[in-house]
Amino acid sequence: MEQDSQPLVAVEGAEAESLTAEQAIANLRQTADMGLRYYAAWWLGRFRVAEPTVIESLVLALEDESDRAPDGGYPLRRNAARALGKLGDRTVVPALIKCLACDDYYVRESAAQALESLGDPLAIPALRALLAGGVAAAVAVPGKPHLVQPYNAILEALGTLGATEAIEDIAPFLEHDVAQVQNAATRALYQLTGDATYCDRLVERLQELNLQLRRSAMMDLGAIGYLPAAEAIATTLAENSLKLIALQGVLESHLRQSNFPSQALSDDARRVLVLMDELL
Amino acid sequence: MVNGLQPTKAGVGAPVAELVRAIETADSKGAMVVAVNNLAAAQDVDAIPTLITVLGYNNPGAAVAAVNGLAALGSAAVPALLEQIDGYNYGARAWAIRALALIGDPRALPVLLETAKGDFALSVRRAAARGLGTIHWPLLPPDQAAIAQRDVLEVLTQATADPEWVVRYAAVAGLQALATDSVEPIRQKPLILASLRRSFEQDETLAVQARARLALDTLALQ
């Protein structure tokens, strides 16, 4: 089961294929059926329908008040933020920055992840502000399965956005109690400093007893494209589906640096491809 | 290690039963992995039903050990795998398809073709596409192999347009292997090369383009 209980299961299934872009857009624009609207927001992001009317409707959905979860959260806003992260239109960055102040934790998390994908440094000050109070303030919300802020997403976004001005804010999170938060800080600091000793910390995590920690370190190494970790990723004890995604990250970041496809495959690229073949 | 295809029956009954009991009583995921590894290492056909059952547990480490154990037993494990392929547990199904793919027994062809074409779960389609490329073709008479390879080529070419990059990647790897083992190279190789070139030039995922490049480079050297 484990292989398919990952988020990637959400992209499978006949239902997803049967909707057309026109129907999905219509479903997103109507307000009578909240379920259809919620699903359409996901679908349009998944199939990357980046038409102006979709962008406009998704931005509107970021301020939706009608779809409320039992916990007071905003399911449609969460999906709309995630979708906007996939559509690559940077004009939505200010709207997503506003979502970082939403009182729903999951909207803030989705917005931080979307801002990371869109890659616009404009988001840095607002993301950095969420680290206010440092590790001392980064505590769990009583009765909830999460901390007061989506620190993983915030740290990862700051790393990807090249927020070197935030290095001193990020460094203390290496010592946060939650291992995944430590990983996110480690990964960001590698991206911001280029110091490979940070990656070696993540590689060591691949030997942890806890499967969740191994998965988290593996996905971080894939996200930052750390080539020397390829063998360690291929041999850690985890499901092949996730190893393949992590190795894809490592491979593609190397391919971009070596100007593939206009240049030939390097020996390093061939090495990673052989590792991936064995996991199919 | 003993030869898995010809296990000696004498005296192995008790140890296998003991190894199976160790799996049933494992009290942690780690202990389970060790117990499955031990049973897999025995390379005994009596271990097959238990190894297949382990594929349905939610424990990737144990599943990897069980798949390796089944793969090492080779053709002896194929009838049980085909019989017990689990239609509703996608995790178990993916691992069973993976074991069949590693074994490469042509008896698995119908299941691999059907799965690569239309299974709901991408991890299962991925394993099947890979397996279609690594069938041990000499086990079939040449005329049957030729017919089967035409089906495989058709399904793998379709799979290079799968919505999931990892299935397309597996299809490309499968096509490379098929080109190497084709019994009708004059008829099939140009079709395979055309499909690989399309993936190299047009696939939206860089990793798939790279895999197609590797396939084209490798086939050009043969």
PDB file of all heavy atoms in Angstrom, chain A residues 1-4 11-13 46 240-241 248 252 260 270 273 276-278 280, chain B residues 58 60 89 91 94 98 120-123 126 164 169 205-207 211 217:
ATOM      1  N   MET A   1       0.824  -1.204   0.000  1.00  0.00           N
ATOM      2  CA  MET A   1       0.000   0.000   0.000  1.00  0.00           C
ATOM      3  C   MET A   1       0.860   1.258   0.000  1.00  0.00           C
ATOM      4  O   MET A   1       0.534   2.243  -0.606  1.00  0.00           O
ATOM      5  CB  MET A   1      -0.872   0.047   1.263  1.00  0.00           C
ATOM      6  CG  MET A   1      -2.198  -0.667   1.141  1.00  0.00           C
ATOM      7  SD  MET A   1      -3.069  -0.386  -0.398  1.00  0.00           S
ATOM      8  CE  MET A   1      -4.003   1.083   0.011  1.00  0.00           C
ATOM      9  N   GLU A   2       1.970   1.176   0.729  1.00  0.00           N
ATOM     10  CA  GLU A   2       2.739   2.370   0.993  1.00  0.00           C
ATOM     11  C   GLU A   2       3.098   3.150  -0.275  1.00  0.00           C
ATOM     12  O   GLU A   2       2.989   4.353  -0.323  1.00  0.00           O
ATOM     13  CB  GLU A   2       4.025   1.993   1.707  1.00  0.00           C
ATOM     14  CG  GLU A   2       4.530   3.104   2.574  1.00  0.00           C
ATOM     15  CD  GLU A   2       4.985   2.553   3.902  1.00  0.00           C
ATOM     16  OE1 GLU A   2       6.024   1.903   3.931  1.00  0.00           O
ATOM     17  OE2 GLU A   2       4.293   2.763   4.887  1.00  0.00           O
ATOM     18  N   GLN A   3       3.485   2.393  -1.307  1.00  0.00           N
ATOM     19  CA  GLN A   3       3.869   3.035  -2.551  1.00  0.00           C
ATOM     20  C   GLN A   3       2.819   4.001  -3.038  1.00  0.00           C
ATOM     21  O   GLN A   3       3.138   5.025  -3.592  1.00  0.00           O
ATOM     22  CB  GLN A   3       4.023   1.958  -3.627  1.00  0.00           C
ATOM     23  CG  GLN A   3       5.275   1.158  -3.456  1.00  0.00           C
ATOM     24  CD  GLN A   3       5.764   0.712  -4.794  1.00  0.00           C
ATOM     25  OE1 GLN A   3       4.991   0.420  -5.673  1.00  0.00           O
ATOM     26  NE2 GLN A   3       7.059   0.662  -4.949  1.00  0.00           N
ATOM     27  N   ASP A   4       1.554   3.639  -2.848  1.00  0.00           N
ATOM     28  CA  ASP A   4       0.520   4.441  -3.460  1.00  0.00           C
ATOM     29  C   ASP A   4      -0.226   5.302  -2.462  1.00  0.00           C
ATOM     30  O   ASP A   4      -1.150   5.993  -2.807  1.00  0.00           O
ATOM     31  CB  ASP A   4      -0.448   3.523  -4.205  1.00  0.00           C
ATOM     32  CG  ASP A   4       0.253   2.916  -5.394  1.00  0.00           C
ATOM     33  OD1 ASP A   4       0.738   3.688  -6.214  1.00  0.00           O
ATOM     34  OD2 ASP A   4       0.345   1.687  -5.465  1.00  0.00           O
ATOM     35  N   VAL A  11      -2.683  11.988  -8.167  1.00  0.00           N
ATOM     36  CA  VAL A  11      -2.642  12.291  -9.587  1.00  0.00           C
ATOM     37  C   VAL A  11      -3.048  11.088 -10.422  1.00  0.00           C
ATOM     38  O   VAL A  11      -3.006  11.128 -11.628  1.00  0.00           O
ATOM     39  CB  VAL A  11      -1.253  12.784 -10.027  1.00  0.00           C
ATOM     40  CG1 VAL A  11      -0.862  14.016  -9.254  1.00  0.00           C
ATOM     41  CG2 VAL A  11      -0.212  11.711  -9.898  1.00  0.00           C
ATOM     42  N   GLU A  12      -3.466  10.017  -9.769  1.00  0.00           N
ATOM     43  CA  GLU A  12      -3.845   8.835 -10.517  1.00  0.00           C
ATOM     44  C   GLU A  12      -5.354   8.756 -10.654  1.00  0.00           C
ATOM     45  O   GLU A  12      -6.093   9.376  -9.928  1.00  0.00           O
ATOM     46  CB  GLU A  12      -3.365   7.580  -9.783  1.00  0.00           C
ATOM     47  CG  GLU A  12      -1.873   7.564  -9.655  1.00  0.00           C
ATOM     48  CD  GLU A  12      -1.374   6.180  -9.304  1.00  0.00           C
ATOM     49  OE1 GLU A  12      -1.715   5.245 -10.018  1.00  0.00           O
ATOM     50  OE2 GLU A  12      -0.663   6.061  -8.314  1.00  0.00           O
ATOM     51  N   GLY A  13      -5.792   7.948 -11.574  1.00  0.00           N
ATOM     52  CA  GLY A  13      -7.194   7.611 -11.569  1.00  0.00           C
ATOM     53  C   GLY A  13      -7.945   8.079 -12.790  1.00  0.00           C
ATOM     54  O   GLY A  13      -7.621   9.075 -13.403  1.00  0.00           O
ATOM     55  N   ARG A  46      -3.094  20.542 -11.574  1.00  0.00           N
ATOM     56  CA  ARG A  46      -2.472  19.275 -11.950  1.00  0.00           C
ATOM     57  C   ARG A  46      -2.196  19.206 -13.450  1.00  0.00           C
ATOM     58  O   ARG A  46      -1.154  18.774 -13.889  1.00  0.00           O
ATOM     59  CB  ARG A  46      -3.385  18.117 -11.515  1.00  0.00           C
ATOM     60  CG  ARG A  46      -3.120  16.776 -12.177  1.00  0.00           C
ATOM     61  CD  ARG A  46      -1.781  16.193 -11.743  1.00  0.00           C
ATOM     62  NE  ARG A  46      -1.465  14.969 -12.471  1.00  0.00           N
ATOM     63  CZ  ARG A  46      -0.726  14.920 -13.564  1.00  0.00           C
ATOM     64  NH1 ARG A  46      -0.242  16.037 -14.069  1.00  0.00           N
ATOM     65  NH2 ARG A  46      -0.473  13.776 -14.144  1.00  0.00           N
ATOM     66  N   ASN A 240      10.398   2.520  -3.650  1.00  0.00           N
ATOM     67  CA  ASN A 240      11.044   2.897  -4.899  1.00  0.00           C
ATOM     68  C   ASN A 240      10.422   4.143  -5.531  1.00  0.00           C
ATOM     69  O   ASN A 240      11.132   4.934  -6.148  1.00  0.00           O
ATOM     70  CB  ASN A 240      10.966   1.741  -5.904  1.00  0.00           C
ATOM     71  CG  ASN A 240      11.885   0.599  -5.523  1.00  0.00           C
ATOM     72  OD1 ASN A 240      12.532   0.643  -4.477  1.00  0.00           O
ATOM     73  ND2 ASN A 240      11.950  -0.419  -6.354  1.00  0.00           N
ATOM     74  N   SER A 241       9.113   4.316  -5.370  1.00  0.00           N
ATOM     75  CA  SER A 241       8.467   5.473  -5.992  1.00  0.00           C
ATOM     76  C   SER A 241       9.107   6.774  -5.514  1.00  0.00           C
ATOM     77  O   SER A 241       9.377   7.670  -6.304  1.00  0.00           O
ATOM     78  CB  SER A 241       6.980   5.511  -5.644  1.00  0.00           C
ATOM     79  OG  SER A 241       6.341   4.383  -6.163  1.00  0.00           O
ATOM     80  N   GLN A 248      15.218  11.669  -9.608  1.00  0.00           N
ATOM     81  CA  GLN A 248      14.861  12.549 -10.723  1.00  0.00           C
ATOM     82  C   GLN A 248      15.326  13.986 -10.427  1.00  0.00           C
ATOM     83  O   GLN A 248      15.890  14.658 -11.286  1.00  0.00           O
ATOM     84  CB  GLN A 248      13.341  12.541 -10.959  1.00  0.00           C
ATOM     85  CG  GLN A 248      12.909  13.462 -12.087  1.00  0.00           C
ATOM     86  CD  GLN A 248      11.436  13.867 -12.011  1.00  0.00           C
ATOM     87  OE1 GLN A 248      10.796  13.754 -10.970  1.00  0.00           O
ATOM     88  NE2 GLN A 248      10.917  14.347 -13.126  1.00  0.00           N
ATOM     89  N   GLU A 252      17.976  15.806 -12.763  1.00  0.00           N
ATOM     90  CA  GLU A 252      17.585  16.953 -13.583  1.00  0.00           C
ATOM     91  C   GLU A 252      18.369  18.202 -13.215  1.00  0.00           C
ATOM     92  O   GLU A 252      18.689  19.009 -14.085  1.00  0.00           O
ATOM     93  CB  GLU A 252      16.069  17.173 -13.495  1.00  0.00           C
ATOM     94  CG  GLU A 252      15.311  16.004 -14.127  1.00  0.00           C
ATOM     95  CD  GLU A 252      13.847  16.278 -14.385  1.00  0.00           C
ATOM     96  OE1 GLU A 252      13.313  17.278 -13.859  1.00  0.00           O
ATOM     97  OE2 GLU A 252      13.228  15.486 -15.125  1.00  0.00           O
ATOM     98  N   PHE A 260      22.228  19.752 -20.825  1.00  0.00           N
ATOM     99  CA  PHE A 260      21.502  18.741 -21.571  1.00  0.00           C
ATOM    100  C   PHE A 260      20.158  19.364 -21.970  1.00  0.00           C
ATOM    101  O   PHE A 260      19.609  20.132 -21.191  1.00  0.00           O
ATOM    102  CB  PHE A 260      21.304  17.506 -20.681  1.00  0.00           C
ATOM    103  CG  PHE A 260      20.553  16.410 -21.343  1.00  0.00           C
ATOM    104  CD1 PHE A 260      21.215  15.494 -22.127  1.00  0.00           C
ATOM    105  CD2 PHE A 260      19.178  16.302 -21.200  1.00  0.00           C
ATOM    106  CE1 PHE A 260      20.520  14.479 -22.758  1.00  0.00           C
ATOM    107  CE2 PHE A 260      18.475  15.290 -21.832  1.00  0.00           C
ATOM    108  CZ  PHE A 260      19.155  14.384 -22.600  1.00  0.00           C
ATOM    109  N   ARG A 270      24.728   9.298 -16.584  1.00  0.00           N
ATOM    110  CA  ARG A 270      24.561   7.862 -16.877  1.00  0.00           C
ATOM    111  C   ARG A 270      24.516   7.040 -15.596  1.00  0.00           C
ATOM    112  O   ARG A 270      23.738   6.095 -15.473  1.00  0.00           O
ATOM    113  CB  ARG A 270      25.725   7.356 -17.740  1.00  0.00           C
ATOM    114  CG  ARG A 270      25.652   7.855 -19.156  1.00  0.00           C
ATOM    115  CD  ARG A 270      26.992   7.659 -19.868  1.00  0.00           C
ATOM    116  NE  ARG A 270      26.933   8.297 -21.168  1.00  0.00           N
ATOM    117  CZ  ARG A 270      26.531   7.692 -22.283  1.00  0.00           C
ATOM    118  NH1 ARG A 270      26.201   6.426 -22.255  1.00  0.00           N
ATOM    119  NH2 ARG A 270      26.455   8.349 -23.411  1.00  0.00           N
ATOM    120  N   LEU A 273      21.133   7.386 -14.047  1.00  0.00           N
ATOM    121  CA  LEU A 273      20.130   6.664 -14.846  1.00  0.00           C
ATOM    122  C   LEU A 273      20.189   5.165 -14.560  1.00  0.00           C
ATOM    123  O   LEU A 273      19.155   4.503 -14.468  1.00  0.00           O
ATOM    124  CB  LEU A 273      20.350   6.924 -16.342  1.00  0.00           C
ATOM    125  CG  LEU A 273      19.954   8.331 -16.833  1.00  0.00           C
ATOM    126  CD1 LEU A 273      20.526   8.616 -18.213  1.00  0.00           C
ATOM    127  CD2 LEU A 273      18.436   8.507 -16.847  1.00  0.00           C
ATOM    128  N   MET A 276      18.467   4.544 -11.363  1.00  0.00           N
ATOM    129  CA  MET A 276      17.004   4.672 -11.507  1.00  0.00           C
ATOM    130  C   MET A 276      16.416   3.435 -12.184  1.00  0.00           C
ATOM    131  O   MET A 276      15.362   2.949 -11.785  1.00  0.00           O
ATOM    132  CB  MET A 276      16.666   5.945 -12.294  1.00  0.00           C
ATOM    133  CG  MET A 276      16.939   7.209 -11.501  1.00  0.00           C
ATOM    134  SD  MET A 276      16.777   8.724 -12.484  1.00  0.00           S
ATOM    135  CE  MET A 276      14.985   8.820 -12.657  1.00  0.00           C
ATOM    136  N   ASP A 277      17.100   2.923 -13.203  1.00  0.00           N
ATOM    137  CA  ASP A 277      16.605   1.722 -13.896  1.00  0.00           C
ATOM    138  C   ASP A 277      16.368   0.583 -12.912  1.00  0.00           C
ATOM    139  O   ASP A 277      15.399  -0.165 -13.020  1.00  0.00           O
ATOM    140  CB  ASP A 277      17.623   1.262 -14.949  1.00  0.00           C
ATOM    141  CG  ASP A 277      17.464   2.009 -16.266  1.00  0.00           C
ATOM    142  OD1 ASP A 277      16.702   2.989 -16.302  1.00  0.00           O
ATOM    143  OD2 ASP A 277      18.107   1.596 -17.252  1.00  0.00           O
ATOM    144  N   GLU A 278      17.281   0.448 -11.966  1.00  0.00           N
ATOM    145  CA  GLU A 278      17.167  -0.683 -11.042  1.00  0.00           C
ATOM    146  C   GLU A 278      15.989  -0.540 -10.077  1.00  0.00           C
ATOM    147  O   GLU A 278      15.621  -1.501  -9.404  1.00  0.00           O
ATOM    148  CB  GLU A 278      18.474  -0.840 -10.252  1.00  0.00           C
ATOM    149  CG  GLU A 278      19.537  -1.543 -11.094  1.00  0.00           C
ATOM    150  CD  GLU A 278      20.926  -1.368 -10.550  1.00  0.00           C
ATOM    151  OE1 GLU A 278      21.064  -0.935  -9.389  1.00  0.00           O
ATOM    152  OE2 GLU A 278      21.882  -1.658 -11.301  1.00  0.00           O
ATOM    153  N   LEU A 280      12.911   0.596 -11.055  1.00  0.00           N
ATOM    154  CA  LEU A 280      11.623   0.647 -11.774  1.00  0.00           C
ATOM    155  C   LEU A 280      10.688  -0.492 -11.376  1.00  0.00           C
ATOM    156  O   LEU A 280      11.120  -1.548 -11.023  1.00  0.00           O
ATOM    157  CB  LEU A 280      11.868   0.614 -13.286  1.00  0.00           C
ATOM    158  CG  LEU A 280      12.535   1.849 -13.848  1.00  0.00           C
ATOM    159  CD1 LEU A 280      12.892   1.635 -15.305  1.00  0.00           C
ATOM    160  CD2 LEU A 280      11.643   3.075 -13.710  1.00  0.00           C
TER     161      LEU A 280
ATOM    162  N   ASN B  58       2.324  -3.351   4.981  1.00  0.00           N
ATOM    163  CA  ASN B  58       2.707  -1.966   4.705  1.00  0.00           C
ATOM    164  C   ASN B  58       4.144  -1.720   5.176  1.00  0.00           C
ATOM    165  O   ASN B  58       4.376  -0.946   6.095  1.00  0.00           O
ATOM    166  CB  ASN B  58       1.710  -1.043   5.411  1.00  0.00           C
ATOM    167  CG  ASN B  58       1.860   0.387   4.944  1.00  0.00           C
ATOM    168  OD1 ASN B  58       2.523   0.651   3.944  1.00  0.00           O
ATOM    169  ND2 ASN B  58       1.249   1.301   5.662  1.00  0.00           N
ATOM    170  N   PRO B  60       7.868  -1.345   3.285  1.00  0.00           N
ATOM    171  CA  PRO B  60       8.658  -1.385   2.058  1.00  0.00           C
ATOM    172  C   PRO B  60       9.953  -2.199   2.202  1.00  0.00           C
ATOM    173  O   PRO B  60      10.331  -2.905   1.275  1.00  0.00           O
ATOM    174  CB  PRO B  60       8.982   0.075   1.762  1.00  0.00           C
ATOM    175  CG  PRO B  60       8.312   0.898   2.786  1.00  0.00           C
ATOM    176  CD  PRO B  60       7.624   0.026   3.767  1.00  0.00           C
ATOM    177  N   ASN B  89      -5.339  -4.682  -3.596  1.00  0.00           N
ATOM    178  CA  ASN B  89      -4.278  -4.032  -2.819  1.00  0.00           C
ATOM    179  C   ASN B  89      -3.186  -3.571  -3.777  1.00  0.00           C
ATOM    180  O   ASN B  89      -2.380  -4.358  -4.252  1.00  0.00           O
ATOM    181  CB  ASN B  89      -3.724  -5.008  -1.782  1.00  0.00           C
ATOM    182  CG  ASN B  89      -2.607  -4.381  -0.944  1.00  0.00           C
ATOM    183  OD1 ASN B  89      -2.007  -3.388  -1.349  1.00  0.00           O
ATOM    184  ND2 ASN B  89      -2.365  -4.955   0.206  1.00  0.00           N
ATOM    185  N   GLY B  91      -0.536  -1.697  -3.442  1.00  0.00           N
ATOM    186  CA  GLY B  91       0.851  -1.843  -3.014  1.00  0.00           C
ATOM    187  C   GLY B  91       1.346  -3.248  -3.291  1.00  0.00           C
ATOM    188  O   GLY B  91       2.386  -3.448  -3.913  1.00  0.00           O
ATOM    189  N   ALA B  94       1.752  -3.972  -6.998  1.00  0.00           N
ATOM    190  CA  ALA B  94       2.956  -3.364  -7.570  1.00  0.00           C
ATOM    191  C   ALA B  94       4.176  -4.240  -7.292  1.00  0.00           C
ATOM    192  O   ALA B  94       5.006  -4.464  -8.158  1.00  0.00           O
ATOM    193  CB  ALA B  94       3.165  -1.965  -6.996  1.00  0.00           C
ATOM    194  N   ARG B  98       6.443  -6.325  -9.859  1.00  0.00           N
ATOM    195  CA  ARG B  98       7.884  -6.095  -9.863  1.00  0.00           C
ATOM    196  C   ARG B  98       8.645  -7.421  -9.803  1.00  0.00           C
ATOM    197  O   ARG B  98       9.634  -7.616 -10.513  1.00  0.00           O
ATOM    198  CB  ARG B  98       8.269  -5.199  -8.685  1.00  0.00           C
ATOM    199  CG  ARG B  98       9.751  -4.909  -8.612  1.00  0.00           C
ATOM    200  CD  ARG B  98      10.072  -3.754  -7.677  1.00  0.00           C
ATOM    201  NE  ARG B  98      11.493  -3.759  -7.348  1.00  0.00           N
ATOM    202  CZ  ARG B  98      12.447  -3.376  -8.186  1.00  0.00           C
ATOM    203  NH1 ARG B  98      12.130  -2.959  -9.396  1.00  0.00           N
ATOM    204  NH2 ARG B  98      13.714  -3.427  -7.845  1.00  0.00           N
ATOM    205  N   PHE B 120      -4.601   1.160 -12.769  1.00  0.00           N
ATOM    206  CA  PHE B 120      -4.955   2.416 -12.113  1.00  0.00           C
ATOM    207  C   PHE B 120      -3.737   3.083 -11.476  1.00  0.00           C
ATOM    208  O   PHE B 120      -3.581   4.301 -11.506  1.00  0.00           O
ATOM    209  CB  PHE B 120      -5.997   2.068 -11.039  1.00  0.00           C
ATOM    210  CG  PHE B 120      -6.580   3.254 -10.344  1.00  0.00           C
ATOM    211  CD1 PHE B 120      -7.654   3.922 -10.888  1.00  0.00           C
ATOM    212  CD2 PHE B 120      -6.051   3.689  -9.141  1.00  0.00           C
ATOM    213  CE1 PHE B 120      -8.211   5.015 -10.237  1.00  0.00           C
ATOM    214  CE2 PHE B 120      -6.591   4.776  -8.491  1.00  0.00           C
ATOM    215  CZ  PHE B 120      -7.669   5.437  -9.043  1.00  0.00           C
ATOM    216  N   ALA B 121      -2.818   2.267 -10.919  1.00  0.00           N
ATOM    217  CA  ALA B 121      -1.726   2.829 -10.115  1.00  0.00           C
ATOM    218  C   ALA B 121      -0.457   2.980 -10.947  1.00  0.00           C
ATOM    219  O   ALA B 121      -0.033   2.063 -11.634  1.00  0.00           O
ATOM    220  CB  ALA B 121      -1.460   1.930  -8.918  1.00  0.00           C
ATOM    221  N   LEU B 122       0.146   4.164 -10.859  1.00  0.00           N
ATOM    222  CA  LEU B 122       1.314   4.423 -11.696  1.00  0.00           C
ATOM    223  C   LEU B 122       2.497   3.532 -11.333  1.00  0.00           C
ATOM    224  O   LEU B 122       3.279   3.139 -12.192  1.00  0.00           O
ATOM    225  CB  LEU B 122       1.715   5.899 -11.624  1.00  0.00           C
ATOM    226  CG  LEU B 122       2.280   6.446 -10.320  1.00  0.00           C
ATOM    227  CD1 LEU B 122       3.800   6.369 -10.303  1.00  0.00           C
ATOM    228  CD2 LEU B 122       1.861   7.897 -10.163  1.00  0.00           C
ATOM    229  N   SER B 123       2.634   3.178 -10.046  1.00  0.00           N
ATOM    230  CA  SER B 123       3.777   2.345  -9.663  1.00  0.00           C
ATOM    231  C   SER B 123       3.657   0.962 -10.288  1.00  0.00           C
ATOM    232  O   SER B 123       4.657   0.310 -10.584  1.00  0.00           O
ATOM    233  CB  SER B 123       3.868   2.242  -8.148  1.00  0.00           C
ATOM    234  OG  SER B 123       2.615   1.899  -7.608  1.00  0.00           O
ATOM    235  N   ARG B 126       4.421   1.295 -14.051  1.00  0.00           N
ATOM    236  CA  ARG B 126       5.869   1.477 -14.176  1.00  0.00           C
ATOM    237  C   ARG B 126       6.589   0.129 -14.144  1.00  0.00           C
ATOM    238  O   ARG B 126       7.408  -0.178 -15.011  1.00  0.00           O
ATOM    239  CB  ARG B 126       6.338   2.344 -13.003  1.00  0.00           C
ATOM    240  CG  ARG B 126       7.821   2.493 -12.884  1.00  0.00           C
ATOM    241  CD  ARG B 126       8.169   3.131 -11.541  1.00  0.00           C
ATOM    242  NE  ARG B 126       8.363   2.163 -10.491  1.00  0.00           N
ATOM    243  CZ  ARG B 126       8.080   2.370  -9.194  1.00  0.00           C
ATOM    244  NH1 ARG B 126       7.563   3.512  -8.803  1.00  0.00           N
ATOM    245  NH2 ARG B 126       8.303   1.445  -8.318  1.00  0.00           N
ATOM    246  N   GLU B 164       2.174   9.930 -16.609  1.00  0.00           N
ATOM    247  CA  GLU B 164       3.168   9.980 -15.526  1.00  0.00           C
ATOM    248  C   GLU B 164       4.583   9.807 -16.069  1.00  0.00           C
ATOM    249  O   GLU B 164       4.868   8.836 -16.763  1.00  0.00           O
ATOM    250  CB  GLU B 164       2.880   8.884 -14.498  1.00  0.00           C
ATOM    251  CG  GLU B 164       1.555   9.077 -13.791  1.00  0.00           C
ATOM    252  CD  GLU B 164       1.466  10.410 -13.069  1.00  0.00           C
ATOM    253  OE1 GLU B 164       2.512  10.952 -12.633  1.00  0.00           O
ATOM    254  OE2 GLU B 164       0.343  10.931 -12.946  1.00  0.00           O
ATOM    255  N   TYR B 169       9.328   6.866 -18.479  1.00  0.00           N
ATOM    256  CA  TYR B 169      10.739   6.508 -18.275  1.00  0.00           C
ATOM    257  C   TYR B 169      10.906   4.987 -18.364  1.00  0.00           C
ATOM    258  O   TYR B 169      11.793   4.483 -19.064  1.00  0.00           O
ATOM    259  CB  TYR B 169      11.177   7.019 -16.899  1.00  0.00           C
ATOM    260  CG  TYR B 169      12.629   6.772 -16.551  1.00  0.00           C
ATOM    261  CD1 TYR B 169      13.551   7.823 -16.558  1.00  0.00           C
ATOM    262  CD2 TYR B 169      13.092   5.504 -16.202  1.00  0.00           C
ATOM    263  CE1 TYR B 169      14.879   7.607 -16.239  1.00  0.00           C
ATOM    264  CE2 TYR B 169      14.418   5.280 -15.890  1.00  0.00           C
ATOM    265  CZ  TYR B 169      15.309   6.327 -15.900  1.00  0.00           C
ATOM    266  OH  TYR B 169      16.622   6.108 -15.590  1.00  0.00           O
ATOM    267  N   THR B 205       9.555  15.906 -19.723  1.00  0.00           N
ATOM    268  CA  THR B 205      10.338  15.676 -18.507  1.00  0.00           C
ATOM    269  C   THR B 205      11.796  15.379 -18.876  1.00  0.00           C
ATOM    270  O   THR B 205      12.078  14.459 -19.637  1.00  0.00           O
ATOM    271  CB  THR B 205       9.740  14.500 -17.711  1.00  0.00           C
ATOM    272  OG1 THR B 205       8.388  14.834 -17.393  1.00  0.00           O
ATOM    273  CG2 THR B 205      10.510  14.251 -16.426  1.00  0.00           C
ATOM    274  N   LEU B 206      12.679  16.181 -18.300  1.00  0.00           N
ATOM    275  CA  LEU B 206      14.099  16.078 -18.638  1.00  0.00           C
ATOM    276  C   LEU B 206      14.657  14.675 -18.364  1.00  0.00           C
ATOM    277  O   LEU B 206      15.452  14.146 -19.143  1.00  0.00           O
ATOM    278  CB  LEU B 206      14.859  17.127 -17.814  1.00  0.00           C
ATOM    279  CG  LEU B 206      16.155  17.692 -18.374  1.00  0.00           C
ATOM    280  CD1 LEU B 206      16.014  18.157 -19.805  1.00  0.00           C
ATOM    281  CD2 LEU B 206      16.644  18.844 -17.484  1.00  0.00           C
ATOM    282  N   ALA B 207      14.228  14.060 -17.264  1.00  0.00           N
ATOM    283  CA  ALA B 207      14.748  12.730 -16.922  1.00  0.00           C
ATOM    284  C   ALA B 207      14.372  11.701 -17.993  1.00  0.00           C
ATOM    285  O   ALA B 207      15.159  10.799 -18.294  1.00  0.00           O
ATOM    286  CB  ALA B 207      14.216  12.293 -15.558  1.00  0.00           C
ATOM    287  N   ARG B 211      16.822   9.531 -20.404  1.00  0.00           N
ATOM    288  CA  ARG B 211      16.778   8.067 -20.518  1.00  0.00           C
ATOM    289  C   ARG B 211      16.702   7.661 -21.985  1.00  0.00           C
ATOM    290  O   ARG B 211      17.317   6.673 -22.407  1.00  0.00           O
ATOM    291  CB  ARG B 211      15.589   7.510 -19.725  1.00  0.00           C
ATOM    292  CG  ARG B 211      15.571   5.978 -19.656  1.00  0.00           C
ATOM    293  CD  ARG B 211      16.789   5.465 -18.922  1.00  0.00           C
ATOM    294  NE  ARG B 211      16.951   4.012 -19.005  1.00  0.00           N
ATOM    295  CZ  ARG B 211      17.480   3.356 -20.050  1.00  0.00           C
ATOM    296  NH1 ARG B 211      17.884   4.031 -21.123  1.00  0.00           N
ATOM    297  NH2 ARG B 211      17.619   2.040 -20.005  1.00  0.00           N
ATOM    298  N   ASP B 217      21.944   6.197 -27.534  1.00  0.00           N
ATOM    299  CA  ASP B 217      23.414   6.060 -27.541  1.00  0.00           C
ATOM    300  C   ASP B 217      23.804   4.586 -27.467  1.00  0.00           C
ATOM    301  O   ASP B 217      24.675   4.120 -28.192  1.00  0.00           O
ATOM    302  CB  ASP B 217      24.034   6.802 -26.347  1.00  0.00           C
ATOM    303  CG  ASP B 217      23.897   8.319 -26.463  1.00  0.00           C
ATOM    304  OD1 ASP B 217      23.476   8.785 -27.545  1.00  0.00           O
ATOM    305  OD2 ASP B 217      24.207   9.023 -25.479  1.00  0.00           O
TER     306      ASP B 217
END
